[in-house]
Amino acid sequence: MFPLPSSCASAGAAAALTFGFATTALEAGVPPELTIDWLVGADFAGHLTPDGTDAGGGLFTYAGTDVHDATGVILDFDLDGHPDGRLGGDLVITNPSLSAVELSLLVTLPINEMPDTLLRGSADLELITDDDGGSVTSVGGAPVWLSFIDGAPVLSATLFPDPFEIVLSGAGRDGVSSAFGRPDGIAGPSASKSMGLLIQFSLTPGDQVSLSGVLIIPGPATSVLLIGGWVIGGTRRRRGHGGCARQRRHPVGSPALRREIEDVAQPHLSASRHQ
């Protein structure tokens, strides 16, 4: 895990030093080089650079699976990104080992330069347990979700703040939704190269966590297109692994999560109609 003695800023410094952030100039029509770096405990599990698929309108999709050799922990991802400042999708982590694990996952997307940013985000997090029950909890005093711009954490743009936990006593599922930046967004720093998400939590053995969400960072003029495209998008394809259930209570594209994003988008959509 990243060291988090007393402040999320420690997580940001560690993430930037450990993984680095992309600086490659972007070309129109070429997928930005999204990267995923993840740790299980203190063990570096992998540096992933999945191929991007053009989904139209400047949006690219990235999907795949990775497995941590030592523990068998499985990472499934189905993400999309837009170089004008949108990053979202689905992450599913399954812990088939006999011990609880702490997981850190950093997703980074190269973006176009933006002199002004307004951050808005929304996510659903769900725990799915086996017969023994289990839990997902925040770790190290950090939120489960921390937003980044140019390798630096935006400490006001977090979801599922510490202390956070979902606990189940037997087989079942339970989840919670969270959002920030409604309705006007949270003012952030200028962006010159990248946006990112740092996800950190502890998960009990035999259990699974699914996280579905979106982070949008540009100012109102650009975000009308980005948010509107997300709201009208269809439900994403669900993927399975190892016989574990993959159905979410509020998957990305569902009415519940769309309402969250619509709440963020509405002031800007309304303003654009009157211009």
Side-chain angles (χ1 to χ4, degrees):
M1 298 298 294
F2 298 121
L4 299 171
S6 60
S7 168
C8 292
S10 301
L17 289 172
T18 303
F19 297 136
F21 284 78
T23 57
T24 305
L26 303 183
E27 299 179 32
V30 176
E33 188 176 322
L34 180 140
T35 61
I36 303 173
D37 296 276
W38 65 302
L39 289 80
V40 178
D43 187 29
F44 186 71
H47 171 76
L48 310 179
T49 57
D51 293 334
T53 300
D54 193 340
L59 189 68
F60 297 91
T61 61
Y62 308 82
T65 298
D66 199 29
V67 179
H68 180 234
D69 291 337
T71 62
V73 170
I74 303 160
L75 167 64
D76 288 319
F77 59 92
D78 190 355
L79 304 172
D80 54 31
H82 194 295
D84 282 339
R86 191 180 91 190
L87 174 62
D90 303 335
L91 297 168
V92 180
I93 296 90
T94 305
N95 178 15
S97 74
L98 299 178
S99 303
V101 296
E102 293 186 355
L103 182 127
S104 302
L105 188 146
L106 181 69
V107 182
T108 306
L109 178 73
I111 57 173
N112 295 317
E113 188 171 355
M114 301 175 198
D116 300 300
T117 61
L118 284 173
L119 286 80
R120 285 141 291 185
S122 180
D124 290 346
L125 187 152
E126 186 175 50
L127 170 68
I128 303 169
T129 57
D130 61 11
D131 291 342
D132 295 330
S135 65
V136 54
T137 61
S138 56
V139 294
V144 173
W145 164 309
L146 177 61
S147 306
F148 279 73
I149 294 180
D150 288 349
V154 183
L155 301 183
S156 56
T158 65
L159 296 173
F160 314 112
D162 180 75
F164 172 86
E165 68 175 10
I166 301 174
V167 181
L168 292 172
S169 59
R173 60 200 310 142
D174 193 16
V176 63
S177 298
S178 185
F180 64 81
R182 296 183 297 175
D184 299 322
I186 295 172
S190 60
S192 63
K193 54 187 178 181
S194 66
M195 64 186 295
L197 299 173
L198 176 61
I199 308 298
Q200 300 189 110
F201 57 82
S202 176
L203 178 62
T204 44
D207 302 323
Q208 182 183 90
V209 161
S210 65
L211 183 68
S212 299
V214 60
L215 172 65
I216 302 168
I217 71 167
T222 305
S223 64
V224 170
L225 278 177
L226 296 183
I227 300 172
W230 186 272
V231 170
I232 64 175
T235 302
R236 299 171 65 87
R237 177 174 57 90
R238 307 257 65 92
R239 300 205 321 243
H241 191 102
C244 295
R246 281 294 185 269
Q247 181 181 352
R248 285 7 166 245
R249 183 172 59 185
H250 301 317
V252 168
S254 73
L257 192 54
R258 289 184 197 178
R259 284 194 295 271
E260 294 283 346
I261 304 303
E262 284 171 348
D263 287 343
V264 176
Q266 195 57 49
H268 306 301
L269 294 172
S270 297
S272 69
R273 294 188 186 105
H274 291 90
Q275 290 176 350

